[in-house]
Amino acid sequence: GAVVSQHPSRVICKSGTSVKIECRSLDFQATTMFWYRQFPKKSLMLMATSNEGSKATYEQGVEKDKFLINHASLTLSTLTVTSAHPEDSSFYICSAITLAGLETQYFGPGTRLLVL
Amino acid sequence: GQQLNQSPQSMFIQEGEDVSMNCTSSSIFNTWLWYKQDPGEGPVLLIALYKAGELTSNGRLTAQFGITRKDSFLNISASIPSDVGIYFCAGHYGGSQGNLIFGKGTKLSVKP
């Protein structure tokens, strides 16, 4: 199956610092990756759609300057939480779709961010 | 954002029992997907359904794409403790966007 990895799996940072989260498709090329945020006991909330070589498309209410997304290659997308604050603490999950199956998303294991 | 109606929200069952959960939507979907999420992990794809009326199995799991294309169900037969987790349905409208609409999840607890 299609495997997606995320790094780091867990990060703790001080308020005001920036944190970069990587999402990689390990055994397939992903022209499109998605970034989600999940609060405890809640469903996944789509933050943005990341397309290789172009600007990300952000969902309403998501600050593009706060959550910087870069999709520089067909196997890597990064999410940078800039000037993180405690309210940014959350579980961030990425997913990717293969060229053959646009409707089927394969998810990474998630990154737990804690901002102190 | 838009979400599907997924029910039940939670279930507490005895090991060996069968489980059924479903999702309904006011909109028509071209694809239905079922995912399972363990605590602290990302969702894992269980079953993907691509045609109305389609019935697909994956081991003890069976899912169906409703004829109206507005609903889907997931059944788990002979539940075991490792079935514990949160199950999400997701719908896809079709086209090239790839966006999924997620249900709120069904939390399954299995008592040995």
Side-chain angles (χ1 to χ4, degrees):
Chain A
V3 180
V4 177
S5 70
Q6 273 183 250
H7 178 78
S9 58
R10 183 183 298 264
V11 56
I12 300 173
C13 68
K14 291 182 180 179
S15 186
T17 60
S18 294
V19 175
K20 181 187 282 188
I21 303 170
E22 293 185 348
C23 178
R24 293 182 186 273
S25 56
L26 298 185
D27 53 357
F28 66 99
Q29 293 184 327
T31 54
T32 302
M33 291 182 172
F34 302 87
W35 286 96
Y36 293 83
R37 184 173 179 177
Q38 187 176 33
F39 293 101
K41 299 183 181 179
K42 297 292 184 184
S43 188
L44 290 80
M45 182 188 81
L46 180 65
M47 299 174 66
T49 302
S50 166
N51 292 299
E52 186 265 337
S54 64
K55 289 184 180 178
T57 303
Y58 290 81
E59 295 300 300
Q60 191 171 9
V62 178
E63 301 175 57
K64 20 181 108 172
D65 295 332
K66 173 78 173 172
F67 298 100
L68 298 179
I69 291 174
N70 183 281
H71 194 154
S73 77
L74 286 173
T75 58
L76 174 64
S77 176
T78 60
L79 168 69
T80 301
V81 183
T82 61
S83 186
H85 288 96
E87 58 265 29
D88 297 325
S89 299
S90 192
F91 193 50
Y92 292 88
I93 312 174
C94 72
S95 71
I97 55 177
T98 69
L99 295 176
L102 296 176
E103 64 285 327
T104 305
Q105 292 185 24
Y106 297 92
F107 286 85
T111 297
R112 174 74 61 191
L113 171 63
L114 177 61
V115 184
L116 301 176
Chain B
Q2 182 179 357
Q3 285 193 317
L4 303 174
N5 295 316
Q6 185 171 349
S7 64
Q9 283 189 330
S10 62
M11 303 181 75
F12 294 85
I13 63 170
Q14 197 77 32
E15 183 178 359
E17 289 183 355
D18 296 343
V19 172
S20 185
M21 59 192 79
N22 70 84
C23 277
T24 60
S25 168
S26 57
S27 305
I28 290 175
F29 287 116
N30 281 353
T31 303
W32 281 94
L33 304 166
W34 284 92
Y35 291 89
K36 182 193 177 199
Q37 186 177 27
D38 291 327
E41 299 289 331
V44 174
L45 181 66
L46 298 175
I47 294 179
L49 303 160
Y50 301 105
K51 288 184 194 176
E54 180 181 353
L55 184 71
T56 298
S57 292
N58 177 7
R60 292 179 296 106
L61 279 60
T62 302
Q64 183 157 31
F65 192 143
I67 291 291
T68 65
R69 293 165 64 192
K70 292 184 178 181
D71 63 303
S72 176
F73 71 74
L74 174 71
N75 287 343
I76 305 173
S77 62
S79 58
I80 58 178
S82 61
D83 290 334
V84 165
I86 300 179
Y87 293 79
F88 290 101
C89 64
H92 187 269
Y93 289 118
S96 60
Q97 289 302 309
N99 291 24
L100 291 179
I101 308 299
F102 281 88
K104 293 188 177 181
T106 295
K107 183 177 180 181
L108 178 64
S109 300
V110 179
K111 186 177 179 183

